[in-house]
Coordinates of all heavy atoms in Angstrom, one line a residue:
M1 N 0.8 -1.2 0.0 CA 0.0 0.0 0.0 C 0.9 1.2 0.0 O 1.9 1.3 0.6 CB -0.9 0.0 1.3 CG -2.0 1.0 1.2 SD -3.0 1.0 2.7 CE -2.2 2.3 3.6
A2 N 0.4 2.3 -0.7 CA 1.2 3.5 -0.8 C 1.1 4.2 0.5 O 0.1 4.1 1.3 CB 0.6 4.4 -1.9
L3 N 2.2 4.9 0.9 CA 2.3 5.7 2.1 C 1.4 7.0 1.9 O 0.7 7.4 2.8 CB 3.7 6.1 2.5 CG 3.9 6.8 3.8 CD1 3.4 6.0 5.0 CD2 5.4 7.2 4.0
L4 N 1.7 7.6 0.8 CA 0.9 8.9 0.4 C 0.0 8.6 -0.8 O 0.6 8.2 -1.8 CB 1.9 10.0 0.2 CG 1.2 11.3 -0.2 CD1 0.4 11.9 1.0 CD2 2.2 12.3 -0.7
E5 N -1.2 8.9 -0.7 CA -2.1 8.7 -1.8 C -2.8 10.1 -2.1 O -3.5 10.6 -1.2 CB -3.2 7.6 -1.6 CG -2.5 6.3 -1.3 CD -3.5 5.2 -1.3 OE1 -4.7 5.4 -1.7 OE2 -3.2 4.1 -0.7
V6 N -2.6 10.6 -3.3 CA -3.3 11.8 -3.7 C -4.3 11.4 -4.8 O -3.8 10.9 -5.8 CB -2.3 12.9 -4.1 CG1 -3.1 14.2 -4.7 CG2 -1.4 13.3 -3.0
D7 N -5.6 11.6 -4.6 CA -6.6 11.2 -5.5 C -7.5 12.3 -6.0 O -8.2 12.9 -5.3 CB -7.5 10.0 -4.9 CG -6.7 8.8 -4.6 OD1 -6.0 8.3 -5.5 OD2 -6.8 8.3 -3.5
H8 N -7.3 12.6 -7.3 CA -8.1 13.6 -8.0 C -8.2 14.9 -7.2 O -9.3 15.5 -7.0 CB -9.6 13.0 -8.2 CG -9.6 11.8 -9.0 ND1 -9.3 11.8 -10.3 CD2 -9.7 10.5 -8.6 CE1 -9.4 10.5 -10.7 NE2 -9.6 9.7 -9.7
L9 N -7.1 15.4 -6.7 CA -7.1 16.6 -5.9 C -7.1 17.9 -6.8 O -6.5 18.0 -7.8 CB -5.7 16.7 -5.2 CG -5.6 17.8 -4.0 CD1 -6.6 17.5 -2.9 CD2 -4.1 17.8 -3.5
S10 N -8.0 18.8 -6.4 CA -8.1 20.1 -7.0 C -8.1 21.2 -6.0 O -8.7 21.0 -4.9 CB -9.5 20.2 -7.8 OG -9.5 19.2 -8.9
V11 N -7.4 22.3 -6.3 CA -7.3 23.5 -5.5 C -7.7 24.7 -6.3 O -7.2 24.9 -7.4 CB -5.9 23.6 -4.8 CG1 -5.9 24.8 -3.9 CG2 -5.5 22.4 -4.1
T12 N -8.6 25.5 -5.7 CA -8.9 26.8 -6.4 C -8.6 28.0 -5.4 O -8.9 28.0 -4.2 CB -10.4 26.8 -6.7 OG1 -10.6 25.7 -7.6 CG2 -10.8 28.0 -7.5
Y13 N -8.0 29.1 -6.0 CA -7.9 30.3 -5.3 C -9.1 31.2 -5.7 O -9.4 31.3 -6.9 CB -6.6 31.0 -5.7 CG -5.4 30.4 -5.2 CD1 -4.7 29.4 -6.0 CD2 -4.8 30.7 -4.0 CE1 -3.5 28.9 -5.6 CE2 -3.6 30.1 -3.6 CZ -3.0 29.2 -4.3 OH -1.8 28.6 -3.9
T14 N -9.8 31.7 -4.7 CA -10.9 32.6 -4.9 C -10.7 34.0 -4.3 O -11.3 34.3 -3.3 CB -12.2 32.0 -4.4 OG1 -12.0 31.6 -3.1 CG2 -12.5 30.7 -5.2
P15 N -9.7 34.8 -4.9 CA -9.5 36.1 -4.4 C -10.7 37.0 -4.6 O -11.5 36.8 -5.5 CB -8.3 36.6 -5.1 CG -8.0 35.6 -6.1 CD -8.9 34.5 -6.1
R16 N -10.9 38.0 -3.7 CA -12.1 38.8 -3.8 C -12.1 39.7 -5.1 O -13.1 39.9 -5.7 CB -12.1 39.8 -2.6 CG -12.7 39.2 -1.3 CD -12.9 40.2 -0.3 NE -13.1 39.6 1.0 CZ -13.1 40.3 2.1 NH1 -12.8 41.6 2.1 NH2 -13.2 39.7 3.2
D17 N -10.9 40.1 -5.4 CA -10.8 41.1 -6.4 C -10.3 40.6 -7.8 O -10.1 41.3 -8.7 CB -9.8 42.2 -6.0 CG -8.4 41.6 -5.5 OD1 -8.5 40.4 -5.2 OD2 -7.5 42.3 -5.4
Q18 N -10.2 39.2 -7.9 CA -9.8 38.6 -9.1 C -10.6 37.4 -9.4 O -11.3 36.9 -8.5 CB -8.3 38.2 -9.0 CG -7.3 39.3 -9.0 CD -5.9 38.9 -8.6 OE1 -5.6 37.8 -8.9 NE2 -5.2 39.7 -7.8
P19 N -10.7 37.0 -10.7 CA -11.4 35.8 -11.0 C -10.8 34.6 -10.3 O -9.7 34.5 -9.9 CB -11.3 35.6 -12.5 CG -10.7 36.9 -13.0 CD -10.0 37.6 -11.9
A20 N -11.6 33.6 -10.0 CA -11.2 32.3 -9.4 C -10.1 31.7 -10.3 O -10.2 31.8 -11.5 CB -12.3 31.4 -9.3
N21 N -9.2 31.1 -9.6 CA -8.0 30.4 -10.4 C -7.9 29.0 -9.9 O -7.5 28.7 -8.8 CB -6.7 31.2 -10.1 CG -5.6 30.7 -10.8 OD1 -5.6 29.6 -11.4 ND2 -4.4 31.4 -10.7
R22 N -8.3 28.1 -10.8 CA -8.1 26.7 -10.5 C -6.7 26.3 -10.7 O -6.3 25.9 -11.7 CB -9.1 25.8 -11.3 CG -9.2 24.4 -10.9 CD -10.4 23.7 -11.4 NE -10.4 23.6 -12.9 CZ -11.2 23.0 -13.6 NH1 -12.2 22.3 -12.9 NH2 -11.2 23.0 -14.9
A23 N -5.9 26.3 -9.6 CA -4.4 26.1 -9.7 C -4.0 24.7 -9.8 O -3.0 24.4 -10.4 CB -3.7 26.8 -8.5
V24 N -4.8 23.8 -9.2 CA -4.5 22.4 -9.2 C -5.8 21.6 -9.7 O -6.8 21.9 -9.1 CB -4.1 21.8 -7.9 CG1 -4.0 20.3 -7.8 CG2 -2.7 22.5 -7.4
H25 N -5.7 20.9 -10.7 CA -6.9 20.3 -11.3 C -6.7 18.8 -11.5 O -5.9 18.3 -12.3 CB -7.2 21.0 -12.7 CG -8.3 20.3 -13.4 ND1 -9.6 20.1 -12.8 CD2 -8.4 19.8 -14.7 CE1 -10.4 19.5 -13.7 NE2 -9.7 19.3 -14.8
D26 N -7.4 18.1 -10.7 CA -7.6 16.6 -10.8 C -6.2 15.9 -10.8 O -5.9 15.1 -11.8 CB -8.4 16.3 -12.1 CG -8.9 14.9 -12.1 OD1 -9.0 14.2 -11.1 OD2 -9.2 14.4 -13.2
V27 N -5.4 16.1 -9.8 CA -4.1 15.5 -9.7 C -4.1 14.2 -8.9 O -4.7 14.2 -7.7 CB -3.1 16.5 -9.1 CG1 -1.7 15.9 -8.9 CG2 -2.9 17.7 -10.0
S28 N -3.6 13.2 -9.4 CA -3.5 11.9 -8.7 C -2.1 11.3 -8.7 O -1.5 11.3 -9.8 CB -4.5 10.9 -9.2 OG -5.8 11.3 -9.2
F29 N -1.6 10.8 -7.6 CA -0.3 10.1 -7.6 C -0.2 9.4 -6.3 O -0.9 9.6 -5.3 CB 0.9 11.0 -7.8 CG 1.1 12.1 -6.8 CD1 1.9 11.9 -5.7 CD2 0.5 13.3 -7.0 CE1 2.0 12.9 -4.8 CE2 0.7 14.3 -6.1 CZ 1.5 14.1 -5.0
R30 N 0.7 8.4 -6.3 CA 1.0 7.6 -5.1 C 2.4 7.5 -4.8 O 3.2 7.4 -5.7 CB 0.4 6.2 -5.2 CG -1.1 6.1 -5.1 CD -1.7 5.0 -5.8 NE -3.2 5.2 -5.8 CZ -4.1 4.5 -5.1 NH1 -3.7 3.6 -4.4 NH2 -5.3 4.8 -5.2
I31 N 2.8 7.6 -3.5 CA 4.2 7.5 -3.1 C 4.4 6.4 -2.1 O 3.7 6.5 -1.1 CB 4.8 8.8 -2.7 CG1 4.6 9.9 -3.7 CG2 6.3 8.6 -2.3 CD1 5.1 11.3 -3.2
A32 N 5.2 5.4 -2.3 CA 5.4 4.4 -1.4 C 6.4 4.8 -0.3 O 7.2 5.7 -0.5 CB 5.9 3.1 -2.1
D33 N 6.4 4.0 0.8 CA 7.4 4.2 1.9 C 8.8 4.1 1.3 O 9.1 3.1 0.6 CB 7.1 3.2 3.0 CG 7.9 3.5 4.2 OD1 8.6 4.5 4.3 OD2 7.8 2.7 5.1
G34 N 9.6 5.1 1.5 CA 11.0 5.0 1.0 C 11.2 5.5 -0.4 O 12.3 5.5 -0.9
E35 N 10.1 5.8 -1.1 CA 10.2 6.2 -2.5 C 10.3 7.8 -2.5 O 9.8 8.5 -1.7 CB 9.0 5.8 -3.2 CG 9.0 6.1 -4.7 CD 7.7 5.6 -5.4 OE1 6.7 5.4 -4.6 OE2 7.7 5.4 -6.5
F36 N 11.1 8.3 -3.5 CA 11.3 9.7 -3.7 C 10.7 10.1 -5.0 O 10.9 9.4 -6.0 CB 12.8 10.1 -3.7 CG 13.5 10.0 -2.4 CD1 13.8 8.7 -1.9 CD2 13.7 11.1 -1.6 CE1 14.4 8.6 -0.7 CE2 14.4 10.9 -0.3 CZ 14.7 9.7 0.1
V37 N 9.9 11.2 -5.0 CA 9.2 11.6 -6.2 C 9.6 13.1 -6.4 O 9.5 14.0 -5.5 CB 7.7 11.4 -6.1 CG1 7.0 12.1 -7.3 CG2 7.4 9.9 -6.1
G38 N 9.9 13.5 -7.6 CA 10.2 14.9 -8.0 C 9.0 15.4 -8.7 O 8.3 14.7 -9.5
L39 N 8.7 16.7 -8.5 CA 7.6 17.4 -9.2 C 8.2 18.6 -10.1 O 8.7 19.5 -9.5 CB 6.6 17.9 -8.2 CG 5.4 18.6 -8.7 CD1 4.5 17.6 -9.5 CD2 4.6 19.1 -7.5
L40 N 8.0 18.4 -11.4 CA 8.6 19.4 -12.3 C 7.5 20.1 -13.1 O 6.5 19.5 -13.4 CB 9.5 18.7 -13.4 CG 10.6 17.8 -12.8 CD1 11.4 17.3 -14.0 CD2 11.5 18.6 -11.9
G41 N 7.7 21.4 -13.4 CA 6.8 22.1 -14.2 C 7.2 23.6 -14.2 O 7.9 24.1 -13.4
E42 N 6.6 24.3 -15.2 CA 6.9 25.7 -15.4 C 6.4 26.5 -14.2 O 5.5 26.0 -13.5 CB 6.4 26.2 -16.7 CG 4.9 26.2 -16.7 CD 4.4 26.5 -18.1 OE1 4.4 27.8 -18.4 OE2 3.9 25.7 -18.9
S43 N 7.0 27.7 -14.1 CA 6.5 28.6 -13.0 C 5.1 28.9 -13.1 O 4.5 29.1 -14.1 CB 7.3 29.9 -13.1 OG 6.9 30.8 -12.1
G44 N 4.4 28.8 -11.9 CA 2.9 29.1 -11.9 C 2.0 27.9 -12.3 O 0.8 28.0 -12.4
C45 N 2.6 26.7 -12.5 CA 1.8 25.6 -12.9 C 1.1 24.9 -11.7 O 0.3 24.0 -11.9 CB 2.6 24.5 -13.7 SG 3.7 23.5 -12.7
G46 N 1.5 25.2 -10.5 CA 0.8 24.8 -9.3 C 1.6 23.8 -8.4 O 1.0 23.2 -7.5
K47 N 2.9 23.8 -8.6 CA 3.7 22.9 -7.8 C 3.6 23.2 -6.3 O 3.4 22.3 -5.4 CB 5.2 23.0 -8.2 CG 5.4 22.7 -9.7 CD 6.9 22.8 -10.0 CE 7.5 24.2 -9.7 NZ 6.9 25.2 -10.7
S48 N 3.8 24.5 -5.9 CA 3.8 24.9 -4.5 C 2.3 24.7 -3.9 O 2.2 24.2 -2.7 CB 4.1 26.4 -4.3 OG 5.5 26.5 -4.6
T49 N 1.3 25.0 -4.7 CA -0.1 24.9 -4.2 C -0.4 23.4 -4.0 O -1.0 23.1 -2.9 CB -1.0 25.4 -5.3 OG1 -0.7 26.8 -5.6 CG2 -2.5 25.2 -4.9
L50 N 0.1 22.5 -4.8 CA -0.1 21.1 -4.6 C 0.6 20.6 -3.3 O 0.0 19.9 -2.5 CB 0.5 20.3 -5.8 CG 0.4 18.8 -5.7 CD1 -0.9 18.2 -5.5 CD2 1.1 18.1 -7.0
G51 N 1.9 21.0 -3.2 CA 2.6 20.6 -2.0 C 2.0 21.2 -0.7 O 1.9 20.5 0.3
N52 N 1.5 22.4 -0.8 CA 0.9 23.0 0.4 C -0.4 22.3 0.7 O -0.7 22.1 1.9 CB 0.6 24.5 0.2 CG 1.9 25.3 0.2 OD1 2.9 24.9 0.9 ND2 1.8 26.4 -0.4
A53 N -1.1 21.9 -0.3 CA -2.4 21.1 0.0 C -2.1 19.8 0.6 O -2.8 19.4 1.5 CB -3.1 21.0 -1.3
V54 N -1.1 19.1 0.2 CA -0.7 17.8 0.7 C -0.3 18.0 2.2 O -0.6 17.1 3.0 CB 0.3 17.1 -0.1 CG1 0.9 15.9 0.6 CG2 -0.2 16.7 -1.5
L55 N 0.4 19.1 2.5 CA 0.9 19.3 3.9 C -0.1 20.0 4.7 O 0.2 20.4 5.9 CB 2.2 20.1 3.8 CG 3.4 19.3 3.1 CD1 4.5 20.3 2.9 CD2 3.8 18.2 4.0
R56 N -1.3 20.3 4.3 CA -2.3 21.0 5.0 C -1.9 22.5 5.3 O -2.2 23.0 6.4 CB -2.8 20.3 6.2 CG -3.3 18.9 5.9 CD -3.8 18.2 7.2 NE -4.9 18.9 7.8 CZ -5.7 18.3 8.7 NH1 -5.3 17.1 9.2 NH2 -6.7 19.0 9.2
L57 N -1.2 23.1 4.4 CA -0.7 24.4 4.6 C -1.4 25.5 3.9 O -1.0 26.6 3.8 CB 0.8 24.5 4.4 CG 1.7 23.7 5.3 CD1 3.2 23.7 4.9 CD2 1.6 24.2 6.7
L58 N -2.5 25.1 3.2 CA -3.3 26.0 2.4 C -4.0 27.0 3.4 O -4.5 26.5 4.4 CB -4.3 25.3 1.5 CG -3.8 24.6 0.3 CD1 -5.0 24.0 -0.5 CD2 -3.0 25.5 -0.6
S59 N -4.1 28.2 3.0 CA -5.0 29.2 3.7 C -5.8 30.0 2.7 O -5.4 30.1 1.5 CB -4.2 30.1 4.6 OG -3.2 30.7 3.9
P60 N -6.9 30.6 3.1 CA -7.7 31.4 2.1 C -6.8 32.5 1.5 O -5.9 33.0 2.2 CB -8.7 32.0 3.1 CG -8.9 31.1 4.2 CD -7.5 30.5 4.4
P61 N -7.1 32.7 0.2 CA -8.2 32.3 -0.6 C -8.1 31.0 -1.2 O -8.9 30.7 -2.2 CB -8.4 33.5 -1.6 CG -6.9 33.8 -1.9 CD -6.2 33.6 -0.6
A62 N -7.2 30.1 -0.9 CA -7.0 28.8 -1.5 C -8.0 27.8 -0.8 O -8.1 27.8 0.5 CB -5.6 28.3 -1.4
H63 N -8.6 26.9 -1.6 CA -9.5 25.9 -1.0 C -9.4 24.7 -1.8 O -9.3 24.7 -3.0 CB -11.0 26.3 -1.1 CG -11.2 27.7 -0.4 ND1 -11.4 27.8 1.0 CD2 -11.3 29.0 -0.8 CE1 -11.6 29.0 1.3 NE2 -11.5 29.8 0.2
I64 N -9.4 23.5 -1.1 CA -9.5 22.2 -1.7 C -10.9 22.1 -2.3 O -11.8 22.2 -1.5 CB -9.0 21.1 -0.8 CG1 -7.5 21.1 -0.5 CG2 -9.4 19.7 -1.5 CD1 -7.0 20.1 0.5
T65 N -11.0 21.9 -3.6 CA -12.4 21.9 -4.2 C -12.7 20.5 -4.6 O -13.9 20.3 -5.2 CB -12.5 22.9 -5.3 OG1 -11.3 22.8 -6.1 CG2 -12.5 24.3 -4.8
G66 N -11.9 19.6 -4.5 CA -12.1 18.2 -4.8 C -11.0 17.3 -4.5 O -9.9 17.7 -4.4
G67 N -11.3 16.0 -4.4 CA -10.3 15.0 -4.2 C -9.9 14.7 -2.8 O -10.6 15.2 -1.8
R68 N -8.9 14.0 -2.6 CA -8.6 13.4 -1.3 C -7.1 13.2 -1.1 O -6.4 12.8 -2.1 CB -9.2 12.1 -1.2 CG -9.4 11.5 0.2 CD -10.5 10.5 0.2 NE -11.9 11.1 0.1 CZ -12.5 11.7 1.0 NH1 -12.0 11.7 2.3 NH2 -13.7 12.3 0.9
V69 N -6.5 13.4 0.1 CA -5.2 13.1 0.4 C -5.2 12.2 1.6 O -5.7 12.4 2.6 CB -4.3 14.4 0.8 CG1 -2.9 14.0 1.1 CG2 -4.3 15.4 -0.4
T70 N -4.5 11.0 1.4 CA -4.4 10.0 2.5 C -3.0 9.8 2.8 O -2.2 9.5 1.9 CB -5.1 8.7 2.1 OG1 -6.4 9.0 1.6 CG2 -5.2 7.8 3.2
F71 N -2.5 9.9 4.0 CA -1.2 9.6 4.5 C -1.3 8.4 5.5 O -1.9 8.6 6.6 CB -0.5 10.8 5.1 CG 0.9 10.6 5.5 CD1 1.9 10.5 4.5 CD2 1.2 10.4 6.8 CE1 3.2 10.3 5.0 CE2 2.5 10.1 7.2 CZ 3.5 10.0 6.3
D72 N -0.6 7.3 5.2 CA -0.5 6.2 6.1 C -1.9 5.8 6.6 O -2.2 5.5 7.7 CB 0.3 6.5 7.3 CG 0.9 5.3 8.0 OD1 0.8 4.2 7.4 OD2 1.4 5.4 9.2
G73 N -2.9 5.8 5.6 CA -4.2 5.4 5.9 C -5.1 6.5 6.6 O -6.3 6.3 6.8
V74 N -4.5 7.7 6.8 CA -5.4 8.7 7.5 C -5.7 9.8 6.5 O -4.9 10.3 5.7 CB -4.5 9.4 8.6 CG1 -5.3 10.6 9.2 CG2 -4.2 8.4 9.7
D75 N -7.0 10.1 6.4 CA -7.5 11.1 5.4 C -7.2 12.5 5.9 O -7.8 12.9 6.9 CB -9.0 10.9 5.3 CG -9.6 11.8 4.2 OD1 -8.9 12.7 3.7 OD2 -10.7 11.5 3.7
L76 N -6.3 13.2 5.3 CA -5.8 14.5 5.7 C -6.8 15.6 5.2 O -6.7 16.7 5.6 CB -4.4 14.8 5.1 CG -3.3 13.9 5.5 CD1 -2.0 14.4 5.0 CD2 -3.3 13.7 7.1
T77 N -7.8 15.2 4.3 CA -8.7 16.3 3.8 C -10.0 16.3 4.5 O -10.9 17.1 4.2 CB -8.9 16.0 2.3 OG1 -9.0 14.6 2.0 CG2 -7.7 16.5 1.4
D78 N -10.2 15.5 5.5 CA -11.4 15.4 6.3 C -11.6 16.7 7.1 O -10.6 17.2 7.5 CB -11.4 14.3 7.3 CG -12.3 13.2 6.8 OD1 -13.0 13.3 5.8 OD2 -12.3 12.1 7.5
Ligands
LIG101 N1 -2.4 33.6 -2.9 C1 -2.8 33.4 -4.2 N2 -4.0 34.0 -4.7 C2 -4.4 33.8 -5.9 N3 -3.7 33.0 -6.8 C3 -2.6 32.4 -6.4 C4 -2.0 32.6 -5.1 N4 -0.9 31.8 -5.0 C5 -0.7 31.2 -6.1 N5 -1.7 31.6 -7.0 C6 -1.9 31.1 -8.4 O1 -1.9 29.7 -8.4 C7 -1.2 29.2 -9.6 C8 -0.1 28.2 -9.1 O2 0.8 28.9 -8.4 P1 2.0 28.1 -7.6 O3 1.4 27.0 -6.9 O4 2.7 29.1 -6.8 O5 2.9 27.6 -8.9 P2 4.4 27.0 -8.9 O6 4.8 26.7 -7.5 O7 4.4 25.9 -9.8 O8 5.2 28.2 -9.4 C9 -0.6 30.4 -10.3 O9 -1.6 30.8 -11.4 C10 -0.7 31.5 -9.3 O10 -0.8 32.8 -9.8
LIG102 MG1 6.5 27.4 -6.3

């Protein structure tokens, strides 16, 4: 079983003065115990937002709008 499971995760920023920005859209991956995974992408593609969502470090105006993060069997998105 994977140690970290990210299933169909989506994150949207909803600033008051700007249009909503769906920064992370339907991302899924699994990481096993002892496995290392790199995340590559151009600036602004959502790497930090994804990492913050997995670590429960998001704050408004960012919101998890879909999906699930499970670490060692515990649902972090509950
Ligand atoms: N506090 C915020 N408010 C609104 N939009 C944001 C905020 N932080 C990041 N974004 C937007 O979310 C998207 C992804 O940003 P980010 O996760 O920082 O990308 P990366 O880390 O890959 O450079 C970008 O379009 C960025 O403008
Ligand atoms: Mg970043």
